[in-house]
Amino acid sequence: LEHPGLDKAAGEEFLREALQILLDEAVRKGTDVTEKVCEWKEPEELRELLDLELPSRGERPERLLERCRVVIQYSVRTGHPRFFNQLFSGLDHHALVGRLITEALNTSQYTYEIAPVFVLMEEVVLAKLRELVGWSSGDGIFSPGGSISNMYAMNVARFHRFPESRRKGNWALPRLALFASRESHYSIQKGAAFLGIGTDNVHLVGTDERGKMVPEELEKEIQRAKAEGAKPFFVCATCGTTVLGAFDPLSGIADVCQRHGLWFHVDAAWGGSALLSGKHRHLLAGIEADSVAWNPHKMLAVGLQCSAFLLRDTSGLLQRCHGASATYLFQPDKFYDVSYDTGDKTPQCGRRVDCLKLWLLWKAIGTEGLACRVERAFAFTRYLAEEVKRRDGFQLVLEVQLVASGGLCVCVFPP
Amino acid sequence: LEHPGLDKAAGEEFLREALQILLDEAVRKGTDVTEKVCEWKEPEELRELLDLELPSRGERPERLLERCRVVIQYSVRTGHPRFFNQLFSGLDHHALVGRLITEALNTSQYTYEIAPVFVLMEEVVLAKLRELVGWSSGDGIFSPGGSISNMYAMNVARFHRFPESRRKGNWALPRLALFASRESHYSIQKGAAFLGIGTDNVHLVGTDERGKMVPEELEKEIQRAKAEGAKPFFVCATCGTTVLGAFDPLSGIADVCQRHGLWFHVDAAWGGSALLSGKHRHLLAGIEADSVAWNPHKMLAVGLQCSAFLLRDTSGLLQRCHGASATYLFQPDKFYDVSYDTGDKTPQCGRRVDCLKLWLLWKAIGTEGLACRVERAFAFTRYLAEEVKRRDGFQLVLEVQLVASGGLCVCVFPP
């Protein structure tokens, strides 16, 4: 039998040359302000340029290296200083090194046996994020994104209130109701549909003129849901709404949750990183909720994906809710302390390593450097707002909100 | 404001040096049979060696490079020829290049605007995988793993049969029942719990002595579920069960599904790659089901994660089931054909690029090379089985199954 692609020396030579292209084209040019952010092509033309067809026989290394160049050339430079699409711009060289090592090691993070370094590292990184939230203990896991973290929160909350849901499904439960603001992320509705709760049972709570949830409206929605015969169980507050960058008033919402005995989740996927800044963390005052979703891959430029799902619980709720104790993977009789086999806490089986890039970045620039990064994002937004105000043809939609977010809402009037 | 970690020249120099370490330590030594697979340390000792604490101030580049070396040193070499833990061993240099470029580009695959190359590439790769399944058209998406692909299948099946589930949740539905063999992956149970269906409503169907589902037993379980007042809607067959590597008899199961009008899903996360081999694809005869989960990151050594969820449907079911049409991301009035904005087909929002590594590998070694790789896995298993039979103190548990899987069941009797 042949060894397709297994010639080590040739493979390493190819890798070495490809890394040079990666350095020159994706990293250096990709972050160079004098280069284009994107070389736009319509689908038909791009399809031809890429020659995507998957062949029967392999190609020569030179041809493959040329393909790497072309892929980079027509991709959007998300690390470019002028990339302003969505919420994950920027390229950090240290985080990138963490990501490249992660790929080379190709580890699945389920057990200590297979991921000793990363099991310990994830524990430390999650503990640090929890500490910033305000918890000296708790639980958590990295998930494949903020949307999925929000689903974890709903599922854990459902299980906490109704443990029978796991075995019997929603049929054993009263009709549930959950609450998030009108400006909340669409993943709340996607999650409710996915978890068998249904989008009709998501109550969208009214917001003020800045896009913040109004606690009195939450109270009213809870009463309305109860009157309709549903059982409220979960409230999601948002720190950094997608469009307006609003931060919900957490303390007021916490009071309502406490009064009604509801699980209090904070979707801080975007805004969570403000916790690092002494100047801006007041925006998240009251975040010591039941659970928090926080994506360092957004404001901290750690790279996709790095999504922490954090829990206040110390009773093993996450494991009881998601665990299946598959005996071929999570044997209780291994030769080491199996409490380190944390992979069963997620609905995933194989799971990527998402902690190394954040850990290495943190070692490189420290908590102070991260704080600085967050404060730059806020400062740039303020600067842009001032510039907008000085220009004809532009109108600032929401002035006050600016200070409270890394985003900006502007109306442009074409001449 | 300072620029933490944003000194381009220093960052690039750090990256260059780290890449050298990556090449030497993770790639060359990581695949060298004369090196150890793992330098085992107990948690306490390893914690000390790693010095994981996250500091207030950043560290010098030399210290960080040393940290990279240490992380690699104590990680398990999953690309080592003697790494036999779980199902994703091996390192392919071409796939690795695809993965490293993916990381450097840091693209979120939701719209054509932000991921033009990868939107087109994912389409071609998924079409090729579907073609191997036996479909000339259809739909699909890359997901964060086989467990989540299986959940997508359950959710799409539920929505297909009961579209009201999306809005009203399970309460509007009869109590559902789903079916998988006793040897099926634990993600079926995890998925049922997560989706609000409940593990009690997962009927585990009896298997034969080789671990294959018995269609007659499936028929009986369906009758039993009906008698208990539940509504069968979904059957999962497994191609490559986790422990025994068994392939369920798909045609027999398909007949039962057709007779009862049930969604037929095939969990081919492990075994799907046998479709590439003319010699072994007969194991999956009848795989033209309603949906298929296939992880090229397993037998093809593409690297974690590369999980395809494939659908026969051509009516846009996946988009209708999962889509939320968030207006800030999936505007219908963009300047290009928005049918290329495929990210709304998943319950995720941001989504990693998982197609490039498989595409580049395919270009490098072709369908023939991939087939060869699969056949080597089967041949090695057969070879190992013969060796086991010749040795005292070993017993082959399942002889026949060997030919039908990449795995091996052996009993070892310590002297």
Side-chain angles (χ1 to χ4, degrees), chain A residues 248-256 264 285-286:
Chain A
D248 285 345
L250 302 181
S251 301
I253 296 168
D255 290 345
V256 179
F264 182 25

Side-chain angles (χ1 to χ4, degrees), chain B residues 382-395:
Chain B
R382 270 198 306 270
Y383 173 78
L384 180 57
E386 294 308 315
E387 288 296 309
V388 164
K389 283 196 267 181
R390 287 165 37 188
R391 306 266 169 119
D392 286 343
F394 289 85
Q395 183 190 325

Side-chain angles (χ1 to χ4, degrees), chain A residues 139-157:
Chain A
D139 204 348
I141 201 94
F142 278 100
S143 95
S147 293
I148 294 185
S149 288
N150 285 338
M151 284 190 211
Y152 287 4
M154 286 181 209
N155 193 41
V156 169

